Amino acid sequence: AKAYLERGYMGNAEVLDHIVDWADAIQKDTMVNILSVEFCGAVSPEGSVPFNHWLSVARLNTLEKYVRKRVDIPEELIVRSDHYIAWDELKQMVMESDLPNKDAVMEVLNSENTSVGDNLDSRIAALKALDGGKTWRIIFNRYFIHMRNAYMVIVTEKSEKFWESRRRNMVAVLPPISTLAEAPVKLL
């Protein structure tokens, strides 16, 4: 198996350009401090734990290499998060779908994984067992493709320069109308 970035796949070119533009703009914004830049790899749940971990790391590394080739990000800001399975995203997609057996699927998705060690998540076997695998094939083909990706999270805070400019430009903060007669106007 190999993880590679294909710009022509599922709108990747537009998303990748947006990520780079966004990261570049945030770096240039003097009103923002960047606290961290997290590269994350996500996988669909049908793989084994070791394989999903390897794939997740490969995906996040591929995205990180692509972005850092275009945007200078100091190493001390980088956080790497691997082995993310978007169960909540899958639940949301199923809830919004016309999937047959939706209630049974949601019951399985909301159950606990009882697997031990590097075994497949126990929910996979339960999904495959529904109606002879018909529902599993639909889930696999319709939803898992959207769970296989990498993404980037930039954590920021407003800089002191931002707050100083806000204080200078603040005129008056009035209390709610119901208490206007009781409270004086406060200036910041």
Side-chain angles (χ1 to χ4, degrees):
K2 182 179 178 184
Y4 58 93
L5 198 136
E6 193 174 318
R7 285 185 57 85
Y9 183 69
M10 290 181 66
N12 278 349
E14 183 180 336
V15 172
L16 289 167
D17 291 344
H18 178 73
I19 287 172
V20 169
D21 292 345
W22 181 57
D24 194 44
I26 287 174
Q27 276 193 322
K28 292 176 182 172
D29 187 342
T30 61
M31 299 290 190
V32 171
N33 292 328
I34 298 174
L35 301 178
S36 65
V37 178
E38 184 173 2
F39 290 95
C40 308
V43 295
S44 53
E46 77 279 9
S48 68
V49 171
F51 178 74
N52 274 351
H53 182 258
W54 174 87
L55 189 55
S56 179
V57 170
R59 286 179 176 155
L60 78 87
N61 286 339
T62 300
L63 179 61
E64 179 183 353
K65 182 179 176 183
Y66 179 88
V67 171
R68 292 186 79 188
K69 188 183 264 187
R70 291 154 180 81
V71 180
D72 183 31
I73 303 171
E75 182 62 34
E76 63 270 10
L77 294 179
I78 302 294
V79 176
R80 294 168 185 89
S81 179
D82 59 16
H83 200 63
Y84 177 66
I85 298 176
W87 287 107
D88 290 334
E89 181 182 334
L90 178 58
K91 290 176 191 177
Q92 187 67 35
M93 288 185 286
V94 169
M95 284 299 298
E96 295 172 357
S97 75
D98 60 352
L99 188 67
N101 295 329
K102 185 189 311 192
D103 291 338
V105 171
M106 288 306 297
E107 187 175 324
V108 170
L109 293 178
N110 287 321
S111 68
E112 290 294 318
N113 174 22
T114 58
S115 296
V116 178
D118 289 343
N119 296 320
L120 285 177
D121 191 298
S122 60
R123 292 172 286 191
I124 299 301
L127 289 170
K128 286 180 178 181
L130 292 174
D131 66 7
K134 180 180 176 188
T135 300
W136 165 257
R137 286 187 294 280
I138 294 169
I139 292 169
F140 184 90
N141 292 322
R142 190 184 295 176
Y143 304 121
F144 282 7
I145 192 169
H146 301 288
M147 298 173 73
R148 300 171 184 143
N149 58 59
Y151 58 96
M152 184 175 95
V153 177
I154 300 177
V155 179
T156 63
E157 68 179 357
K158 296 292 185 182
S159 69
E160 185 58 35
K161 188 175 180 180
F162 169 82
W163 295 113
E164 287 172 15
S165 72
R166 291 282 302 228
R167 284 190 286 272
R168 280 193 307 271
N169 295 325
M170 192 68 83
V171 179
V173 177
L174 298 176
I177 297 296
S178 62
T179 61
L180 189 56
E182 303 168 8
V185 174
K186 297 178 184 177
L187 298 176
L188 297 179

Coordinates of all heavy atoms in Angstrom, one line a residue, residues 83-147:
H83 N -3.9 7.9 13.3 CA -4.9 6.9 13.6 C -6.3 7.4 14.1 O -6.8 7.0 15.1 CB -4.3 5.9 14.7 CG -5.0 4.6 14.7 ND1 -5.0 3.8 13.6 CD2 -5.8 4.0 15.6 CE1 -5.7 2.7 13.9 NE2 -6.2 2.8 15.1
Y84 N -6.8 8.3 13.3 CA -8.1 8.8 13.6 C -9.1 8.1 12.7 O -9.0 8.1 11.5 CB -8.1 10.3 13.3 CG -9.5 10.9 13.5 CD1 -10.1 10.9 14.8 CD2 -10.3 11.4 12.5 CE1 -11.4 11.5 15.0 CE2 -11.5 12.0 12.7 CZ -12.0 12.0 14.0 OH -13.3 12.5 14.1
I85 N -10.1 7.5 13.3 CA -11.3 6.9 12.6 C -12.5 7.8 13.0 O -12.9 7.9 14.1 CB -11.5 5.5 13.0 CG1 -10.3 4.6 12.6 CG2 -12.8 4.9 12.3 CD1 -10.3 3.2 13.0
A86 N -13.1 8.4 12.0 CA -14.2 9.4 12.1 C -15.5 8.7 12.4 O -16.4 8.7 11.5 CB -14.2 10.3 11.0
W87 N -15.6 8.0 13.5 CA -16.9 7.3 13.8 C -18.1 8.3 13.8 O -19.1 8.0 13.3 CB -16.8 6.5 15.1 CG -15.9 5.3 15.0 CD1 -14.6 5.1 15.5 CD2 -16.2 4.1 14.3 NE1 -14.2 3.9 15.2 CE2 -15.1 3.2 14.5 CE3 -17.3 3.6 13.6 CZ2 -15.1 1.9 14.0 CZ3 -17.3 2.3 13.1 CH2 -16.2 1.5 13.3
D88 N -17.8 9.4 14.4 CA -18.9 10.4 14.5 C -19.4 10.9 13.1 O -20.6 11.1 12.9 CB -18.6 11.6 15.4 CG -18.5 11.2 16.9 OD1 -19.1 10.2 17.3 OD2 -17.7 11.8 17.6
E89 N -18.4 11.1 12.3 CA -18.7 11.5 10.9 C -19.5 10.4 10.2 O -20.5 10.7 9.5 CB -17.4 11.8 10.1 CG -17.7 12.2 8.7 CD -16.3 12.5 8.0 OE1 -15.3 12.8 8.6 OE2 -16.4 12.3 6.7
L90 N -19.1 9.1 10.4 CA -19.9 8.0 9.8 C -21.3 8.0 10.3 O -22.2 7.8 9.6 CB -19.1 6.7 10.1 CG -19.8 5.4 9.5 CD1 -20.0 5.5 8.0 CD2 -19.0 4.2 9.9
K91 N -21.4 8.1 11.6 CA -22.8 8.1 12.2 C -23.6 9.2 11.6 O -24.8 9.0 11.3 CB -22.7 8.4 13.7 CG -22.1 7.2 14.5 CD -22.0 7.6 16.0 CE -21.2 6.5 16.7 NZ -21.0 6.9 18.1
Q92 N -23.0 10.4 11.4 CA -23.8 11.5 10.9 C -24.2 11.2 9.4 O -25.3 11.5 9.0 CB -22.9 12.8 10.9 CG -23.7 14.1 10.5 CD -24.8 14.4 11.5 OE1 -24.6 14.3 12.7 NE2 -25.9 15.0 10.9
M93 N -23.3 10.7 8.6 CA -23.6 10.3 7.3 C -24.8 9.3 7.2 O -25.7 9.4 6.4 CB -22.4 9.8 6.5 CG -21.4 10.9 6.2 SD -20.0 10.3 5.2 CE -19.0 9.4 6.3
V94 N -24.7 8.3 8.1 CA -25.8 7.3 8.1 C -27.1 7.9 8.6 O -28.1 7.6 8.0 CB -25.4 6.1 9.0 CG1 -26.5 5.2 9.3 CG2 -24.2 5.3 8.4
M95 N -27.1 8.7 9.6 CA -28.3 9.4 10.1 C -29.0 10.2 9.0 O -30.2 10.3 8.9 CB -28.0 10.3 11.3 CG -27.8 9.5 12.6 SD -29.2 8.5 13.1 CE -30.4 9.8 13.3
E96 N -28.2 10.8 8.1 CA -28.8 11.7 7.1 C -29.1 10.9 5.8 O -29.5 11.5 4.8 CB -27.8 12.8 6.8 CG -27.6 13.8 8.0 CD -26.5 14.8 7.7 OE1 -25.8 14.8 6.7 OE2 -26.3 15.7 8.6
S97 N -28.9 9.6 5.8 CA -29.1 8.8 4.6 C -30.4 8.2 4.5 O -31.2 8.2 5.5 CB -28.0 7.8 4.6 OG -28.3 6.7 5.5
D98 N -30.6 7.5 3.4 CA -31.8 6.7 3.2 C -31.4 5.2 3.3 O -32.0 4.3 2.7 CB -32.4 6.9 1.8 CG -31.5 6.7 0.7 OD1 -30.3 6.4 0.9 OD2 -31.9 6.8 -0.5
L99 N -30.4 4.9 4.0 CA -29.8 3.6 4.1 C -30.8 2.6 4.7 O -31.4 2.9 5.7 CB -28.6 3.6 5.1 CG -27.7 2.4 5.2 CD1 -27.0 2.1 3.9 CD2 -26.7 2.6 6.3
P100 N -31.0 1.4 4.0 CA -31.9 0.4 4.6 C -31.2 0.0 6.0 O -30.0 0.0 6.1 CB -31.9 -0.7 3.6 CG -30.9 -0.3 2.6 CD -30.4 1.0 2.8
N101 N -32.0 -0.4 6.9 CA -31.5 -0.9 8.2 C -30.8 0.2 9.0 O -29.9 -0.1 9.8 CB -30.5 -2.1 8.1 CG -31.2 -3.3 7.5 OD1 -32.4 -3.5 7.7 ND2 -30.4 -4.1 6.8
K102 N -31.2 1.4 8.7 CA -30.5 2.6 9.4 C -30.5 2.4 10.9 O -29.5 2.7 11.5 CB -31.2 3.9 9.0 CG -30.4 5.1 9.5 CD -31.2 6.4 9.4 CE -31.7 6.7 8.0 NZ -32.1 8.1 7.9
D103 N -31.6 2.0 11.5 CA -31.7 1.9 12.9 C -30.7 0.8 13.4 O -30.0 1.0 14.4 CB -33.1 1.6 13.4 CG -34.0 2.8 13.2 OD1 -33.5 3.9 13.1 OD2 -35.3 2.6 13.1
A104 N -30.7 -0.3 12.7 CA -29.7 -1.4 13.1 C -28.3 -1.0 12.9 O -27.4 -1.3 13.8 CB -30.0 -2.7 12.3
V105 N -28.0 -0.2 11.9 CA -26.6 0.3 11.7 C -26.3 1.2 12.8 O -25.2 1.1 13.3 CB -26.5 1.0 10.3 CG1 -25.2 1.7 10.2 CG2 -26.7 0.0 9.2
M106 N -27.2 2.1 13.2 CA -26.9 3.1 14.2 C -26.7 2.4 15.6 O -25.8 2.8 16.4 CB -28.0 4.1 14.4 CG -28.0 5.1 13.2 SD -26.4 6.0 12.9 CE -26.2 6.8 14.5
E107 N -27.4 1.3 15.8 CA -27.2 0.5 17.0 C -25.8 -0.1 17.1 O -25.1 0.0 18.1 CB -28.3 -0.6 17.1 CG -28.3 -1.3 18.4 CD -29.4 -2.4 18.5 OE1 -30.5 -2.1 18.0 OE2 -29.1 -3.4 19.1
V108 N -25.3 -0.6 15.9 CA -24.0 -1.1 15.9 C -23.0 0.0 16.1 O -22.0 -0.1 16.8 CB -23.7 -1.9 14.5 CG1 -22.3 -2.2 14.4 CG2 -24.6 -3.1 14.4
L109 N -23.1 1.1 15.3 CA -22.2 2.2 15.4 C -22.1 2.8 16.8 O -21.0 3.3 17.3 CB -22.5 3.3 14.4 CG -22.3 2.9 12.9 CD1 -22.8 4.1 12.0 CD2 -20.9 2.4 12.6
N110 N -23.2 2.8 17.5 CA -23.2 3.3 18.9 C -22.8 2.3 20.0 O -22.6 2.7 21.1 CB -24.6 3.8 19.2 CG -24.9 5.1 18.5 OD1 -24.1 6.0 18.4 ND2 -26.2 5.2 18.0
S111 N -22.5 1.1 19.6 CA -22.0 0.1 20.5 C -20.5 0.3 20.7 O -19.8 1.0 20.0 CB -22.4 -1.3 20.0 OG -21.6 -1.6 18.9
E112 N -20.0 -0.4 21.8 CA -18.6 -0.3 22.1 C -17.8 -1.4 21.3 O -18.3 -2.5 21.0 CB -18.4 -0.6 23.6 CG -18.9 0.4 24.5 CD -18.1 1.7 24.4 OE1 -16.9 1.7 24.3 OE2 -18.8 2.8 24.4
N113 N -16.6 -1.0 20.9 CA -15.7 -1.9 20.3 C -15.2 -2.9 21.4 O -14.7 -2.5 22.4 CB -14.5 -1.2 19.7 CG -13.4 -2.1 19.2 OD1 -13.7 -3.3 18.9 ND2 -12.2 -1.6 19.1
T114 N -15.4 -4.2 21.1 CA -15.0 -5.2 22.1 C -13.8 -6.0 21.7 O -13.4 -6.9 22.3 CB -16.2 -6.2 22.4 OG1 -16.6 -6.8 21.1 CG2 -17.4 -5.5 23.0
S115 N -13.2 -5.5 20.6 CA -12.0 -6.2 20.1 C -10.8 -6.0 21.1 O -10.7 -5.0 21.8 CB -11.6 -5.7 18.7 OG -12.6 -6.0 17.8
V116 N -9.8 -6.9 21.0 CA -8.7 -6.8 21.9 C -7.4 -6.7 21.0 O -7.4 -7.4 20.0 CB -8.6 -8.0 22.8 CG1 -7.3 -7.9 23.7 CG2 -9.8 -8.0 23.7
G117 N -6.5 -5.9 21.3 CA -5.2 -5.9 20.6 C -5.4 -5.3 19.2 O -6.1 -4.3 19.0
D118 N -4.7 -5.9 18.3 CA -4.6 -5.4 16.9 C -5.8 -5.9 16.0 O -5.7 -5.8 14.8 CB -3.3 -5.8 16.2 CG -2.1 -5.0 16.8 OD1 -2.4 -4.0 17.5 OD2 -1.0 -5.4 16.7
N119 N -6.7 -6.6 16.6 CA -7.8 -7.1 15.8 C -8.7 -6.0 15.2 O -8.7 -4.9 15.7 CB -8.7 -8.0 16.7 CG -7.9 -9.3 17.1 OD1 -7.2 -9.8 16.4 ND2 -8.1 -9.6 18.4
L120 N -9.5 -6.4 14.2 CA -10.4 -5.4 13.6 C -11.4 -5.0 14.7 O -11.8 -5.8 15.6 CB -11.2 -6.1 12.5 CG -10.5 -6.3 11.1 CD1 -11.4 -7.0 10.2 CD2 -10.1 -4.9 10.6
D121 N -11.9 -3.8 14.6 CA -13.0 -3.3 15.4 C -14.2 -4.3 15.4 O -14.6 -4.6 14.3 CB -13.4 -1.9 15.0 CG -14.2 -1.2 15.9 OD1 -15.4 -1.7 16.2 OD2 -13.8 -0.1 16.4
S122 N -14.7 -4.6 16.5 CA -15.8 -5.6 16.5 C -17.0 -5.1 15.8 O -17.9 -5.9 15.4 CB -16.1 -6.0 18.0 OG -16.5 -4.8 18.7
R123 N -17.2 -3.8 15.7 CA -18.4 -3.3 15.0 C -18.3 -3.6 13.5 O -19.4 -3.7 12.9 CB -18.4 -1.8 15.2 CG -18.8 -1.4 16.7 CD -18.6 0.0 17.0 NE -17.2 0.4 17.0 CZ -16.8 1.6 17.5 NH1 -17.7 2.5 17.9 NH2 -15.5 1.9 17.5
I124 N -17.2 -3.8 13.0 CA -17.1 -4.2 11.5 C -17.8 -5.5 11.3 O -18.6 -5.7 10.4 CB -15.6 -4.2 11.1 CG1 -15.0 -2.8 11.2 CG2 -15.5 -4.7 9.6 CD1 -15.6 -1.7 10.5
A125 N -17.5 -6.5 12.1 CA -18.1 -7.8 12.0 C -19.6 -7.7 12.1 O -20.3 -8.4 11.4 CB -17.5 -8.8 13.0
A126 N -20.0 -6.9 13.1 CA -21.5 -6.7 13.3 C -22.1 -6.1 12.1 O -23.2 -6.5 11.7 CB -21.7 -5.9 14.6
L127 N -21.5 -5.1 11.5 CA -22.0 -4.5 10.3 C -22.1 -5.4 9.1 O -23.0 -5.5 8.4 CB -21.2 -3.2 9.9 CG -21.3 -2.0 10.8 CD1 -20.3 -0.9 10.5 CD2 -22.7 -1.4 10.8
K128 N -21.0 -6.2 9.0 CA -21.0 -7.2 7.9 C -22.1 -8.3 8.0 O -22.5 -8.8 7.0 CB -19.6 -7.9 7.8 CG -18.5 -7.0 7.3 CD -17.2 -7.7 7.2 CE -16.1 -6.9 6.6 NZ -14.8 -7.6 6.6
A129 N -22.5 -8.5 9.3 CA -23.5 -9.6 9.5 C -24.9 -9.1 9.2 O -25.8 -10.0 9.0 CB -23.4 -10.0 11.0
L130 N -25.1 -7.8 9.1 CA -26.5 -7.3 8.8 C -26.9 -7.8 7.4 O -26.1 -7.6 6.5 CB -26.5 -5.8 8.9 CG -26.3 -5.2 10.3 CD1 -26.3 -3.7 10.1 CD2 -27.5 -5.6 11.2
D131 N -28.0 -8.3 7.3 CA -28.7 -8.7 6.0 C -27.7 -9.3 5.0 O -27.7 -9.0 3.8 CB -29.5 -7.6 5.4 CG -28.7 -6.4 4.9 OD1 -27.5 -6.4 4.9 OD2 -29.4 -5.4 4.5
G132 N -26.9 -10.2 5.4 CA -26.0 -11.0 4.5 C -24.9 -10.1 3.9 O -24.4 -10.5 2.9
G133 N -24.6 -9.0 4.5 CA -23.6 -8.1 3.9 C -24.0 -7.0 3.0 O -23.2 -6.2 2.6
K134 N -25.3 -7.0 2.6 CA -25.8 -6.0 1.7 C -25.6 -4.6 2.2 O -25.1 -3.7 1.5 CB -27.3 -6.2 1.4 CG -27.9 -5.3 0.4 CD -29.3 -5.5 0.2 CE -29.9 -4.5 -0.7 NZ -31.4 -4.6 -0.8
T135 N -26.0 -4.3 3.5 CA -25.8 -3.0 4.1 C -24.4 -2.7 4.2 O -24.0 -1.5 4.0 CB -26.5 -2.9 5.4 OG1 -27.9 -3.2 5.2 CG2 -26.4 -1.6 6.1
W136 N -23.5 -3.6 4.6 CA -22.1 -3.4 4.7 C -21.5 -2.9 3.4 O -20.7 -1.9 3.4 CB -21.4 -4.7 5.1 CG -19.9 -4.6 4.9 CD1 -19.2 -5.2 3.9 CD2 -18.9 -3.9 5.7 NE1 -17.8 -4.8 4.0 CE2 -17.7 -4.0 5.1 CE3 -19.0 -3.1 6.8 CZ2 -16.5 -3.5 5.6 CZ3 -17.9 -2.5 7.3 CH2 -16.6 -2.7 6.7
R137 N -21.9 -3.5 2.3 CA -21.3 -3.1 1.0 C -21.8 -1.7 0.6 O -21.0 -0.9 0.1 CB -21.8 -4.1 -0.1 CG -21.0 -5.4 -0.1 CD -21.3 -6.3 -1.2 NE -22.7 -6.8 -1.3 CZ -23.2 -7.8 -0.5 NH1 -22.4 -8.5 0.3 NH2 -24.4 -8.2 -0.6
I138 N -23.0 -1.3 1.0 CA -23.4 0.1 0.8 C -22.6 1.0 1.6 O -22.1 2.1 1.1 CB -24.9 0.2 1.1 CG1 -25.8 -0.6 0.1 CG2 -25.3 1.7 1.1 CD1 -27.2 -0.7 0.5
I139 N -22.4 0.7 2.9 CA -21.6 1.6 3.8 C -20.2 1.7 3.3 O -19.6 2.8 3.2 CB -21.7 1.0 5.2 CG1 -23.1 1.2 5.8 CG2 -20.6 1.8 6.1 CD1 -23.2 0.4 7.1
F140 N -19.6 0.6 2.9 CA -18.2 0.5 2.4 C -18.1 1.4 1.2 O -17.2 2.2 1.1 CB -17.8 -0.9 2.1 CG -16.4 -1.0 1.7 CD1 -15.4 -1.3 2.6 CD2 -16.0 -1.0 0.4 CE1 -14.1 -1.4 2.3 CE2 -14.7 -1.1 0.0 CZ -13.7 -1.3 0.9
N141 N -19.0 1.3 0.2 CA -18.8 2.0 -1.0 C -19.3 3.4 -1.0 O -18.7 4.3 -1.7 CB -19.6 1.3 -2.1 CG -19.0 -0.1 -2.5 OD1 -17.8 -0.2 -2.5 ND2 -19.8 -1.1 -2.7
R142 N -20.3 3.7 -0.1 CA -20.8 5.1 -0.1 C -20.2 6.0 0.9 O -20.0 7.2 0.6 CB -22.3 5.0 0.2 CG -23.1 6.3 0.1 CD -24.5 6.3 0.5 NE -25.3 5.4 -0.4 CZ -26.6 5.1 -0.1 NH1 -27.2 5.6 0.9 NH2 -27.2 4.3 -0.9
Y143 N -19.7 5.5 2.1 CA -19.3 6.4 3.1 C -17.8 6.3 3.5 O -17.2 7.3 3.9 CB -20.1 6.1 4.4 CG -21.6 6.2 4.2 CD1 -22.4 5.2 4.4 CD2 -22.1 7.4 3.7 CE1 -23.8 5.3 4.2 CE2 -23.5 7.6 3.5 CZ -24.3 6.5 3.7 OH -25.6 6.6 3.5
F144 N -17.2 5.1 3.4 CA -15.8 5.0 3.8 C -14.9 5.8 3.0 O -13.9 6.3 3.5 CB -15.4 3.5 3.8 CG -15.9 2.7 4.9 CD1 -16.8 3.2 5.9 CD2 -15.4 1.4 5.1 CE1 -17.2 2.4 6.9 CE2 -15.9 0.6 6.2 CZ -16.8 1.1 7.1
I145 N -15.2 6.1 1.7 CA -14.3 6.9 0.9 C -14.1 8.3 1.5 O -13.1 8.9 1.4 CB -14.8 6.9 -0.5 CG1 -13.8 7.5 -1.5 CG2 -16.1 7.7 -0.6 CD1 -14.2 7.4 -2.9
H146 N -15.2 8.8 2.2 CA -15.1 10.1 2.8 C -14.3 10.1 4.1 O -14.0 11.2 4.6 CB -16.5 10.7 3.0 CG -17.3 10.7 1.7 ND1 -17.0 11.7 0.7 CD2 -18.3 10.0 1.2 CE1 -17.9 11.5 -0.3 NE2 -18.6 10.5 0.0
M147 N -14.0 9.0 4.6 CA -13.3 8.9 5.9 C -11.8 8.8 5.7 O -11.0 8.9 6.6 CB -13.8 7.7 6.7 CG -15.3 7.8 7.1 SD -15.9 6.3 7.8 CE -15.2 6.4 9.4

